[in-house]
Amino acid sequence: MRTIIVTGASSGIGAYCARALKADGWRVFATARRPEDVAALDADGIEAFHLDYRDQRSIAALVDAVLQRTGGTLDALYNNGAHAQPGAVEDLPVEALREQFEVNLFGWHALTRLIVPVMRAQGHGRIVNCSSILGLAPVKWRGAYVASKHALEGLTLCMRAELEGSGIQVSLIEPGPIESRIAPNGLTWFLRNIDIEGSVHRQAYQAQLDRMQAGGSKSRHKLKPDAVYRVLKHALLSKRPRPHYVVTTPARVGVVLKRILPASLFYRVLASQA
Ligand SMILES: NC(=O)c1ccc[n+]([C@@H]2O[C@H](COP(=O)([O-])OP(=O)(O)OC[C@H]3O[C@@H](n4cnc5c(N)ncnc54)[C@H](OP(=O)(O)O)[C@@H]3O)[C@@H](O)[C@H]2O)c1
């Protein structure tokens, strides 16, 4: 039976993918932060563990526990758990930016570094990192998240080149709008770290608050998490997994526009979408 770690499985894409992988015959080790979310995964027959990417000990404990259960092997790692800190760059406390990177980049890096030697020793493995279209295109009010996903793109692609010939294949998934809890969760980060009333952007923030309170993007192109699962399966099972999987129409349009438009025009188009 193939084995995989899926992080951030309490809601949204991770919750869906953990269960879909199990239904497709994988042995799934899924992670969440709250005990009730760990229990809900357990109740669905998924081997569930606590993991907080900000906590190096929880990362090491997860890897120890999983390797103990598998006898020291792991076929795949799906880095998925993340949060999205909203706010204009000038309003972002450095600590909020640091925390964004702690979760969306450094934690992923720490977990990946513990898994690569295991995969090298067994001569095969798949690592799939869930980036975002915002890892390829900058959108205002999202500087922290955009920066973390751009950094993730760079780090992942360098690692991909370095692992050439090792039997370990590395892919990025770049979704556009997907139904999940990312907006309501982001609202908490917005209110916690940004001085909304004291900002020169307070009017623009009101629109962001309204959007997040209403559950995030209302795009008619918003897809359910199964759209991500379809490409995750390809990245995990295909003989030739792709480096990039762009998901949703807005994300695909963004990639094409970035390729064909002069930069200044591309950024103007993005600004008009925010
Ligand atoms: N939804 C979209 O439109 C969209 C678009 C592009 C990319 N993505 C990416 O898709 C991935 C999944 O997000 P989602 O949309 O499914 O959002 P979500 O419903 O908010 O799920 C995010 C998951 O990450 C977990 N998480 C948050 N902070 C964490 C930490 N410090 N350590 C470990 N896990 C943590 C959350 O756990 P808690 O419940 O404990 O907070 C939750 O399980 C993310 O990488 C996101 O950047 C999403």
Side-chain angles (χ1 to χ4, degrees):
M1 193 184 273
R2 290 191 177 91
T3 52
I4 184 167
I5 292 177
V6 176
T7 68
S10 69
S11 64
I13 295 166
Y16 182 89
C17 290
R19 287 168 176 84
L21 284 161
K22 171 150 174 58
D24 281 345
W26 287 71
R27 184 170 181 194
V28 180
F29 303 102
T31 78
R33 291 190 297 168
R34 283 177 297 265
E36 60 270 29
D37 294 324
V38 173
L41 288 159
D42 262 329
D44 285 346
I46 291 166
E47 294 169 70
F49 301 87
H50 169 81
L51 173 87
D52 189 325
Y53 274 127
R54 295 169 300 184
D55 174 6
Q56 181 67 44
R57 274 176 310 185
S58 80
I59 297 172
L62 166 75
V63 173
D64 281 350
V66 168
L67 294 181
Q68 210 166 29
R69 291 193 189 190
T70 64
T73 64
L74 187 75
D75 294 311
L77 167 63
Y78 177 44
N79 278 308
N80 170 83
H83 77 261
Q85 168 69 63
V89 173
E90 68 191 274
D91 291 340
L92 262 181
V94 174
E95 271 317 310
L97 184 59
R98 216 187 292 281
E99 185 157 20
Q100 180 73 101
F101 271 71
E102 208 58 63
V103 176
N104 292 14
L105 190 76
F106 301 140
W108 293 31
H109 177 60
L111 175 55
T112 304
R113 280 198 69 221
L114 293 179
I115 296 302
V116 166
V118 175
M119 291 180 169
R120 273 199 187 276
Q122 71 198 14
H124 69 92
R126 301 281 166 114
I127 298 173
V128 184
N129 285 346
C130 191
S131 176
S132 167
I133 182 59
L134 298 186
L136 303 170
V139 172
K140 59 186 175 181
W141 326 127
R142 315 263 193 102
Y145 181 75
V146 163
S148 73
K149 293 296 189 183
H150 273 67
L152 175 70
E153 292 271 333
L155 202 68
T156 305
L157 292 173
C158 290
M159 182 176 71
R160 181 176 182 275
E162 291 153 5
L163 290 175
E164 189 105 347
S166 67
I168 307 170
Q169 314 258 23
V170 181
S171 298
L172 284 156
I173 300 180
E174 287 125 351
I178 302 288
E179 282 179 19
S180 79
R181 290 200 46 78
I182 198 157
N185 287 338
L187 181 59
T188 309
W189 290 100
F190 203 5
L191 298 174
R192 184 179 303 168
N193 287 328
I194 303 296
D195 176 6
I196 293 173
E197 278 312 306
S199 170
V200 295
H201 299 292
R202 60 185 168 277
Q203 257 181 337
Y205 282 165
Q206 195 51 54
Q208 298 298 309
L209 284 171
D210 293 345
R211 185 184 61 82
M212 296 172 89
Q213 273 155 353
S217 155
K218 287 282 167 257
S219 166
R220 63 192 168 92
H221 299 293
K222 195 173 196 173
L223 296 178
K224 293 187 189 302
D226 64 317
V228 175
Y229 184 59
R230 267 197 294 281
V231 301
L232 175 61
K233 264 201 308 197
H234 192 278
L236 294 174
L237 296 174
S238 161
K239 273 206 177 105
R240 269 182 296 278
R242 294 184 210 132
H244 299 272
Y245 292 91
V246 181
V247 183
T248 76
T249 301
R252 275 195 294 274
V253 169
V255 168
V256 171
L257 292 182
K258 184 176 183 179
R259 209 170 286 154
I260 63 174
L261 292 181
S264 54
L265 186 53
F266 178 57
Y267 298 143
R268 229 179 304 145
V269 171
L270 288 177
S272 71
Q273 302 297 307

